[in-house]
Amino acid sequence: MSNLIRIYSDTQTQPSPQMRAAMASAEVGDEQGGSDPTVNELCRRVAEYLGKESAVFLPSGTMCNEIAMMIHCRPGDEIIAHETAHIINSEAGGPAAFAGAMIKPLRGERGQFSGEDVLAAVRPDSRYVPVSRLLVVEQTSNFGGGTVWSLERIKEVASAARSAGLAVHMDGARLSNAAVASGTSAADFSAPFDSVWLDLTKGLGCPVGAVLAGSEDFIQAAWRIKQRMGGAMRQAGIIAAAGLYALDNNIDRLAEDHANAKKFAATIAKHPLVRLDPDAVETNIIFFEIDAPGKTLEDLCAEFLKRGMQRGAIVGHAIRIVTHLDVSAKQMEVAAETVVEILDGWN
Ligand SMILES: *Cc1c(COP(=O)(O)O)cnc(C)c1O
């Protein structure tokens, strides 16, 4: 493990000694046969956290999205999602490959759109067009800058979709960040959705896994596809134990990551070469642009690496920095000072 300040993504977290101890002592059984007690407990706890009847443990958030889309859609159907969505940009064409669905991308500020936008995107009843079948909402919006959909906005887009007969799915990769930042519970955010999932490997700090939740019927259907895709496991309690540890210990502390992100943003936003509205930083993700003639974001990342920081993710004209439990407040202060120093040298 390198000593670089790990600001590339909240996927960079390493399981802590306490988490590893919980994993080492986990009671295990045959997950595929439904008899791993630790996996069963994790599913029960996440279903409760999300206010759903049932849940299933899966290897990744991507598989949660793909299985949900396969259940909700028939080949030729259309999914409505924001143009920055993970299902469009980071799942290797999965919606087309597995669900056989096409996607109608919506525009909108900072990864979000309105109920009106949803209704305008729904196809008319005509044999020339695909059937609009599913709305997908990402909470928080990753490429939107870690923005939190307000509960009001969530209800508005979900009821617009429902009024048009669509199913609704929430990509909850960072739902806990939204819950902690807003004070709205994860269950309240999830209530309008048929299916929702929580990633264990982002801010929650686990090495593997995500949990998909919904009705009993939905989860039964998900289990069939999990089995078909080879996602059913054996003594998976070893990794599920990390999830239980995270539910108990790593949710409330997300507030620290948000505070660190805001402080970082406030410091670098003062620099004349940085384009960033610090008030736009709501959770653990910071996107900013630079206005340094002759210099690119790649140049900035090269300087990061020379000065003890990981590179950021470059998305379009912006660079993304992410805070998480493996970067301390002190390290984020150093990171902000480093950005300012580099840009001072370019001014
Ligand atoms: C990371 C992420 C996913 C996929 O989760 P994995 O566990 O990495 O497969 C899906 N959606 C969003 C918004 C994400 O950030």
Side-chain angles (χ1 to χ4, degrees), residues 60-62 65 86 91 138 142 171 173-174 197 199 201-202:
S60 70
T62 299
N65 274 338
H86 197 275
E91 298 189 12
E138 209 173 276
N142 178 356
D171 173 334
R174 295 185 182 80
W197 61 272
D199 214 329
T201 64
K202 300 283 167 71

Side-chain angles (χ1 to χ4, degrees), residues 84 110-112 138-149 285:
T84 59
R110 302 167 70 221
Q112 303 191 10
E138 209 173 276
Q139 177 73 305
T140 66
S141 165
N142 178 356
F143 287 174
T147 54
V148 178
W149 289 73
I285 295 176

